[in-house]
Amino acid sequence: MGGQQQKKYERGSATNYITRNKARKKLSLSLADFRRLCILKGIYPHEPKHKKKVNKGSTAPRTFYLLKDIRFLLHEPIVGKFREYKIFVRKLRKAYGKGEWAGVQRLRENKPSYKLDHVVKERYPTFIDAIRDMDDALSMCFLFSTFARTGKCHVQTIQLCRRLCVEWMNYVIASRSLRKVFLSIKGIYYQADVLGQLVTWLVPYQFAHNHPTDVDYRVMATFTEFYTTLLGFINFRLYHSINLAYPPKLHSKSETELKTEHEEDYAMESESYLEKLSALSATLSRVISAPEDEDAELDHFPAEGEDAEALQVREKQQKGLDAQKRLFEGLKFFLSREVPREPLAFVIRCFGGQVSWDQSLCMGSTYNATDETITHQVVDRPNVDKKYINRYYVQPQWVFDCVNGKMLLPVEDYFPGVTLPPHLSPFMEEKDGDYVPPEKLKLMALQRGEKPEEEPEEEEEEEGDEANADEDYDDDEEEMDNKEVRDEKSLKMIEKQRSQERAVSVMVTPGKVKAENKMRLEYEEKAEEKHLAIMMMKKKEKYLYDKIMFGKRRTVREANKLAAKRKAHDETLKANKKKKGKKD
Amino acid sequence: MIVEASSPTIRQHGSSRVMVPGMEHLLRPARHFLSDGSFSVQYPVGYTVFSPRLTLPLSRVMNSQACAFRLSTFHLYFLKSLSEDIRNTVGNVPMEWYQDYPHIGYDLEGKKIFKPIRNKDELDEFLDKMENPDYWRTVHDKMTSTDIRLTDEQISLVHRLQSGQFGDVNFNEYEPYIDFFSGETMIHPVTNRPQDKRSFIPSLIEKEKVSKMVHAIKMGWIKPRKPKESDLQFYDLWAKEDPNAILGRHKMHVPAPKMKLPGHEESYNPPPEYLLTEEERLAWEQQDPEDRKLSFLPQKFSCLRSVPAYSRFIHERFERCLDLYLCPRQRKMRVNVDPEDLIPKLPKPRDLQPFPTIQSLIYRGHSSLVRCISLSPSGQWLASGSDDCTVRLWEVSTGRCMKTVEVGGAVRSIVWNPNPAICLVAVLVLLNPYLADKLVYNATDQLIASYVEPEEERPQPVQWQVPEIEDSDKGFRLIITHPKSVKQVTWHSKGDYLASVLSDNSNMQVLIHQVSKRRSQNPFRKNKGLVQCVSFHPIRPYFFVASQRCVRVYNLIKQELMKKLMANCKWISSMAIHPGGDNVICGSYDSRLSWFDLDLSTKPYKVLRHHKKALRGVAFHKNYPLFASGSDDGSVIVCHGMVYNDLLQNPLIVPVKVLKGHTLTHNLGVLDVAFHPTQPWVFSSGADATIRLFT
C-alpha cells in the first residue's frame, strides 16, 4: 500500500511558519497597519531553525512569522478598528472635499478609537510578566515626556507620558525601591527593585531634542501608545499594593505646606497639581493611613535546602539593603539652581533625605537656602559666593556615588572646584580575571570598613596596591592566557636544548650537576599530557574549546590593555607632580 | 436710462431712524455713478433708492482704478447737467455717426443741436494753446461740440478725486466709528415693519425635514450620540490573574533581550583608562558604525554641568523599537561548559610506557635528503637511501656508517628482507650488504646462485640481470631493470616475493617479483588510479594497493578485490599494516592519519589530525602497540595503538609523545619513519640529511 505520495514542504516546520507578505495578505491589512498591529500585539518574526526548509528550498532572505501568531491576530478586534479607521478617513476626506462642515463635525465626533486593555492582559498574563518588561516602556515614556509640545506627536501623548512618569517616580520614592543610579553620557540610568524584579530605565538629560529626520516617529508613537496603557495599569496596581491612592494625591499635611501664594506664577490651574506632584518633594496620601513604623520585623525562615550559613548571608544582605534605604535619612539637602533638580530630588527622596530648592526654580520647595538645619548643599559651580559654615557644599556626583556605594562617602573628594574622582558604573560586576579599576577597589575597601591611611602613606600604599594588583593581573593573565602557548614554548625550548646538547657534545667536558626542578618537570609533564589530550579531541569539541579559549584570551587581553593604560596614566601624573614639586 | 438727479423718487419708511450726533453727513444722499455714465442717488439707512440698477457705494467707485480714466467725462456731464440745460439726447452712441450731418444730436425738446459753424483746425488749436491762458482748464465736449472752461471748484474736485480723496471737502473720513448695530438690545426696533405672516405659520420645508428625521429615527437609521467615553481608565487589570491560564502561545514566546547595561566607559566621568587614545579614536571613526564595539566615544567631563545632550538618543531608542518588532528572534542555547571538561580523559602516557621519549642518536653522513630507511630483521643494522645516490648502512647502536654503496640514482625506497635467514636489501637492485653473520650472507649468496634457468623463457615485464663482478663485490646481487622509475619496493614477509611500484600511468604500475625464480608479473590488467604504495599482508595472502583516494585489498589466491577502504583524504602518501593484519593506517598529504579497522567498515575508524602539515611516513611497531607518523612539520608523533584480541573491543588510540628534532629544509621535515624490530625505538629520516633515533 503506497498511499498518497508525500509532497515536499507540506508537513513539519515549513507549515509552521508564514512569510510576512503572506501574513499580510491573510489579514488583508496594509503593511503599515500590519506593522502597527505587530507592535501593539507584540508579534515578532521568528528565525526558523532550518531556514531553507521553511523557505521551501529557496535561500532568499525572508522574515518569517509563526503561523499560530498570525492566526491569533485574525481574531483581534483591533483589526476591525483599523478598517473602520480607514473608512473614517475616506469619509472625512470626502466631506472636506464637498465642504460639508456639519458632516465633518459629525464624523469627527464618531471617530473610531480602540482600547488596548485586553492586549496588555493578553501579552502579560501575570503582573510579574508586565514588570519584567517595563524597561523599554519606562525609557520610552521618559523620552516622550521630554519632547516639546509641538510637531512630533500629539500633545495629549506627551502629557500622558509625563503624568505616568511622575506617578512612577512617586511610587519609587514611596516604596524606596531605587537601587542604582548612573550618570552616563547618554542620560541617567536608574535601577529599581520592584517586587523582586530589576527594572532599569534611562532618562535623557533635560535639553531640547534635535529631532533627527531619519526616524519614523509613527513607529515610536505606536510603541508609546501601548506603553502608556501598560504603565498606567502597572502604576495603578503598584500604588494599590502599597496602599497609596491612585491617581496619586498629595498628603493633606504636605499639601498645605506646599501651598504658596503665587501658585499661578508657576503653572496654570489645570497643571499645577501635576507640577506639584512632579516636584517630588511631598509625600503621597495613603488609602489606609499607615503607622509611622511600618517595618515590622519579619521572621526569616530558611528556604528549602538552605543551611544556616546561607540564611546568615541573606540576613546580612537584608540588613545592608535596609541600611541603604535609609541612606539619606536625617540629611537635609538644598539644590542650587544650576544642578539638575529632578534627578537629584528623586534620588535624595528615594533614600529618605529631605530636599528643597530655590523658590524661583520650581514650585514645591519647602525651605530656603538660609535654613540653618541644611546639612548638604549640592552645588555645581567652581566657587560659591556665600557659604554657610554648618553645611557641606558638594558636587552632584557625591549623591549618586553615595547611592551606588551604599554608604555616605567622604565629602572631601566632592567639594566644589575639586577634580572629581571617576564616576563608576554600578552595573558592572567584575568576575575573576576582569579588570577592576583601582577606584572600585578603594570603594570596596571602604565598604568593608577599612579606613584609608593618612595622605602620603596612603599614596604609597595605593601605589603598592596597584603594583601588586597589576602583578596579580599579569600573573593571572599569564596563567590564563599563555598557559597553552607557554607550554608549547617551553616544550619547544626544552626539545631544542636537548637536541642541541646532543648535537654539540662531541667533546668530553666535565659535567655539571644540574639541579632538576621537580616542580617544573611535573608541570611540564602535565602540560604535555594536556596538549596530547587536546590533540585527541573531536573536531566539534575542539572547535568549541578553541572558541572558549579564544574568548577567554580576549578578555584577558582587554583587561591587560586597560591595566597598562592606567599604569601609564598614573606614571605620567606622578611625573608631572614631581616636575611641579621641583619647580616649586 | 437716465435718472434725473433733481427728481429722485424716494419712498420713506417711517420715522424710526436712530439719530446719532455727527452723523448727518451720512444721511445726505450720496450720488452713485453708473457704468454708462448715469448715476443714481442713495440715501443712507432707512431710505431706499428707487432704481432698478445695481448701485455701488461711492467710496468704492472712487477708489477703484478702473473708473479713474472716465472721471473727466463723467464730470463733464455731471457739471453740464447741473449748470446748463442743453443736453444731447442721442445716448451712448459713437459720435462718428453724426459726421456727415450738420447736427450732432437732439436736445430735450427734440430740436437738433447744430455743430458749430467753423471747426477748429490744427492751427487754431495751436494758437489757442499758445494764447489762451485757460487752455489747460478747457475741455471739449464731444456731445455738444463745445469747449467748456472748468471753474476753480471743479478743478479742485477733479484733483481731489484723482488723488483718491472724497469729493466733499468737508467730509472727514476718520471720524470715530459708531457701532450702528450694537450688540446691546435697544428698546425700539430698528425698523418698525410689521412681521410677516410666514413668521407665524410653520414652514413646510422644515416640516418635511423633521418628518424625514423622525422617520429615520423610527427606522433606527439615526441613533442617539453615544456618551463620550473618557479615555484611559485604569483599573486593576490583573485582579483575577491566574498563572495557570497562560495561553499556549506564551510557551513559544521568546522575550526580547534586555538592553545591555552600561559599563564604566559610558560614564560622564570615566576612569582615565577607559578613554580612547588618539589612534583608537581614529580607528573608531574609520570603522563602520555596525562594526564598532562601542556605539559612542567615551568622553570625560569635569562636572555634571558641562555634560551636553546625547545627540543619538532618539536614534538609539528608535533602533531599539525596530529591534523589538522587526528583528527575528530565536532561542539559542548558550554553551556553558568548562573548557577543561571538553578535554577527553585519556589514559596517562606514563601508564602506556614503553615508548620513545627522547632523541638519543643522530646518524650523519648523507649529503642530501634521506628518503627512506629500513632496519634489518635483527635490529642491528639500518639501511638508508638518499637523494645523493647512495645507500648507507649503519650500525644502530653506535651510529657508525658501516658501508656506503653508490647506486646510479636517487634512492626512493629501501627495504630490508624480512626473513632473518636472508640478508638482502631491496633498492632497485638486490644488495647483499655483507652485514650479518658470514653464514647468513653466504647462504644468501648461495640462494641467489642456486637459480636454475627455466626450460622455456617466458616473456617478462622487466629484465633480471646478474651484475658484473665489480658490482658484485660492492654487494649487488641481482639487478631488476624496470622500464620506468620505481617509487616503492616492499617485501613479502616470507622474503621471497617482492613488489615494486612504478611511476607510470599505464596498467603496469605494480609488479610482483619472485626472487628465487627470478620471475616477475604484472598482477593488474587495468589502471585504477595512480598507485601510491603497496604492501603485503603480514600473514594472509592479501595485497594492499593504495591509490590516491582509497586502499584496495586484493586476495592474491582468489585473485579478486576484497575490500576498498575509502580514506576520504587527498592524497594518500603512505600506508602501514598492523602486524596483526586487521588494521591499516594511512598517512595523507592533507595532514591526516586514518586508522582503518578492516573488521569494522571501509571508512576510517578514526582520523587523527595531529600534524600541521602533510604526512610523509607512517609505521607500526612489530611487537609493541605503537605507531608513528612523520610529517613535513618536522615532528614525529608516536601514538599508542592497542589492538585487542577481543573483537568486540575497538582499538585504543592515544598519542603519547611528540618528538621533534629535524630541522625544516625546503619546507620538508621528516620523510620516513621506522621502528626498531625489537626495541621501542623509532628512527626518522629527514630532509636535513640526518637520521635520528628516538629511544
Side-chain angles (χ1 to χ4, degrees), chain A residues 290-309:
Chain A
E292 287 300 303
D293 181 40
E294 59 180 76
D295 294 326
E297 273 298 311
L298 290 175
D299 289 337
H300 294 291
F301 296 103
E304 221 172 291
E306 206 178 31
D307 51 350
E309 238 175 74

Side-chain angles (χ1 to χ4, degrees), chain A residues 35 39 43-48 66 69 72 109 117 120-127 130 132 135-136 139-140 143 147 160 163 182-186 189 198 200 202 204-205 207 209 211-212 214-217 219-220 223 227 229 232-234 236-237 246 340 380-382 396-397 420-425 427-428 430 435 437-438 495 499 502 525 528-530 532-533 535-537 541 544-545 548 552 558 561-562 565-566 569, chain B residues 225 228-229 232-241 243 246-247 249-250 252-255 258-259 261-264 266-277 280 293 295-305 307-310 313-318 320-322 324-330 335 337-340 342-344 346 348-350 358-360 364 606 608-610 637 653 655-658 660 692:
Chain A
R35 286 192 165 158
I39 292 171
I43 305 289
Y44 45 84
H46 282 254
E47 183 81 4
L66 274 185
D69 284 351
F72 163 75
E109 269 164 18
D117 308 6
V120 174
K121 180 78 205 249
E122 217 169 58
R123 280 178 68 170
Y124 306 108
T126 60
F127 186 52
R132 219 175 276 153
D135 293 12
D136 289 312
S139 299
M140 195 64 135
L143 171 65
F147 278 176
L160 180 64
R163 188 191 123 192
F182 178 50
L183 298 169
S184 90
I185 51 172
K186 295 182 180 174
Y189 286 88
L198 287 178
T200 318
L202 172 62
Y205 289 117
F207 287 106
H209 289 285
H211 286 287
D214 52 345
V215 163
D216 189 355
Y217 278 88
V219 170
M220 301 238 283
F223 268 101
Y227 285 153
T229 322
F233 284 117
I234 290 177
F236 185 92
R237 172 117 180 179
Y246 187 91
D380 197 4
R381 52 179 98 182
Q397 195 189 320
L420 288 169
H423 180 61
L424 298 174
S425 165
F427 302 112
M428 293 292 280
E430 280 89 358
Y435 174 72
E495 298 279 1
S499 58
R502 293 285 180 294
E525 199 171 307
E528 195 188 349
E529 239 170 66
K530 196 177 165 192
L532 289 171
M535 286 204 320
M536 273 311 276
M537 263 179 170
E541 283 170 356
L544 184 62
Y545 179 83
I548 293 172
K552 276 192 171 176
E558 268 157 23
K561 203 172 153 195
L562 285 176
K565 251 171 142 182
R566 179 66 185 221
H569 179 260
Chain B
R225 199 165 289 152
K228 186 120 190 178
E229 291 166 36
L232 287 170
Q233 280 294 325
F234 297 123
Y235 51 90
D236 195 354
L237 189 68
W238 292 278
K240 282 178 276 174
E241 99 181 8
I246 294 168
L247 295 174
R249 226 167 58 78
H250 285 277
M252 284 297 279
H253 180 58
V254 186
K258 292 201 170 190
M259 290 285 268
L261 288 172
H264 297 312
E266 208 181 309
S267 166
Y268 86 102
N269 181 16
E273 61 268 33
Y274 287 97
L275 294 171
L276 297 187
T277 58
E280 282 170 332
K293 222 171 165 199
S295 60
F296 54 91
L297 268 178
Q299 278 169 294
K300 192 176 183 107
F301 298 98
S302 59
C303 55
L304 189 58
R305 189 181 66 231
V307 181
Y310 183 57
F313 195 93
I314 296 179
H315 268 119
E316 286 188 359
R317 217 51 340 255
F318 177 61
R320 171 72 178 168
C321 286
L322 291 188
L324 282 178
Y325 88 100
L326 284 181
C327 192
R329 296 188 199 168
Q330 188 178 30
V335 187
V337 286
D338 185 15
E340 298 302 315
L342 288 173
I343 299 172
L346 295 174
K348 283 195 173 173
R350 187 181 300 195
I358 51 165
Q359 179 180 278
S360 34
R364 294 176 192 277
K606 214 151 229 182
L608 312 175
R609 278 161 235 260
H610 297 166
I637 294 181
I653 301 170
V656 287
K657 189 74 191 172
V658 181
K660 286 179 182 170
R692 284 161 200 256

Side-chain angles (χ1 to χ4, degrees), chain A residues 185-306:
Chain A
I185 51 172
K186 295 182 180 174
I188 304 177
Y189 286 88
Y190 298 96
Q191 191 171 60
D193 182 0
V194 182
L195 303 181
Q197 301 291 329
L198 287 178
V199 179
T200 318
W201 71 97
L202 172 62
V203 181
Y205 289 117
Q206 287 281 348
F207 287 106
H209 289 285
N210 193 7
H211 286 287
T213 49
D214 52 345
V215 163
D216 189 355
Y217 278 88
R218 284 173 305 173
V219 170
M220 301 238 283
T222 315
F223 268 101
T224 316
E225 199 181 341
F226 176 73
Y227 285 153
T228 48
T229 322
L230 171 68
L231 266 187
F233 284 117
I234 290 177
N235 278 350
F236 185 92
R237 172 117 180 179
L238 286 176
Y239 269 70
H240 280 262
S241 68
I242 56 167
N243 278 331
L244 288 175
Y246 187 91
K249 286 206 175 62
L250 295 174
H251 201 261
S252 51
K253 196 171 75 187
S254 52
E255 193 171 0
T256 46
E257 266 173 37
L258 279 184
K259 207 90 182 164
T260 49
E261 302 94 73
H262 308 294
E263 248 173 35
E264 53 291 348
D265 289 355
Y266 295 105
M268 287 195 303
E269 193 97 344
S270 56
E271 288 175 344
S272 76
Y273 205 74
L274 181 66
E275 287 296 312
K276 262 189 226 166
L277 270 177
S278 62
L280 304 173
S281 61
T283 48
L284 301 181
S285 73
R286 299 195 175 244
V287 177
I288 308 158
S289 54
E292 287 300 303
D293 181 40
E294 59 180 76
D295 294 326
E297 273 298 311
L298 290 175
D299 289 337
H300 294 291
F301 296 103
E304 221 172 291
E306 206 178 31

